Amino acid sequence: MRGFLVRLLITALGLWVADQLLPGIAFTSTGALIVSALVLGFVNAVIRPILFFVTLPLTVLTLGLFILIVNGISLAIVAWLVPGFLVSGFSSATLGAIIVGLTSWAASHFIGGSGRIERMKRVRSRAAASMDRAIVRSHDRR
């Protein structure tokens, strides 16, 4: 449950950033923002896979770029369903979907599946560590 709430807040953050950056996206209240984040999660889970399957030939033809259009359609559907969420046109919906996606992607790197903040650390392979030791040894011999 905690993970769901954190993901909902991340989506709401992405929608808020899109609202701040794009003049074509607006929310009339904070409640509309939260409801829009919830409905966007539902649309992405149910309707977006159907849209993706139907538009698969175009997606393949454009080397995946048509997914941006599908995401814009998803955001436009949410704006149509939620009163208080206004999108002025399809280009605003597509740019807004890109901003929401980038914000969610960046925030998700710090959040685990349980909703807890996870520390990111660099994992090194044994081969890289042994190469570093060999370089240090050869450098010490000089």
Side-chain angles (χ1 to χ4, degrees):
M1 181 68 170
R2 183 178 178 186
F4 170 76
L5 291 175
V6 170
R7 299 276 178 210
L8 179 68
L9 290 175
I10 289 173
T11 304
L13 173 70
L15 288 169
W16 179 79
V17 170
D19 176 33
Q20 297 300 309
L21 293 179
L22 297 174
I25 293 180
F27 292 96
T28 58
S29 68
T30 306
L33 175 69
I34 300 297
V35 170
S36 296
L38 187 62
V39 173
L40 183 60
F42 176 78
V43 167
N44 281 338
V46 177
I47 297 172
R48 186 174 176 267
I50 296 168
L51 282 173
F52 178 76
F53 182 73
V54 169
T55 62
L56 188 60
L58 280 173
T59 303
V60 170
L61 188 64
T62 60
L63 302 176
L65 289 176
F66 198 75
I67 290 179
L68 299 174
I69 305 301
V70 171
N71 290 343
I73 293 169
S74 298
L75 194 64
I77 290 171
V78 172
W80 180 66
L81 291 173
V82 177
F85 178 29
L86 310 169
V87 176
S88 66
F90 186 69
S91 60
S92 294
T94 303
L95 289 174
I98 291 170
I99 292 172
V100 170
L102 288 174
T103 307
S104 297
W105 172 75
S108 293
H109 277 317
F110 299 105
I111 306 297
S114 66
R116 291 189 294 168
I117 295 175
E118 294 183 351
R119 194 179 86 201
M120 294 176 19
K121 66 179 185 177
R122 185 175 165 187
V123 179
R124 295 183 41 154
S125 67
R126 290 184 188 181
S130 65
M131 288 179 66
D132 287 346
R133 286 192 295 272
I135 291 170
V136 169
R137 285 187 209 131
S138 68
H139 203 58
D140 289 342
R141 291 181 190 164
R142 291 184 195 174

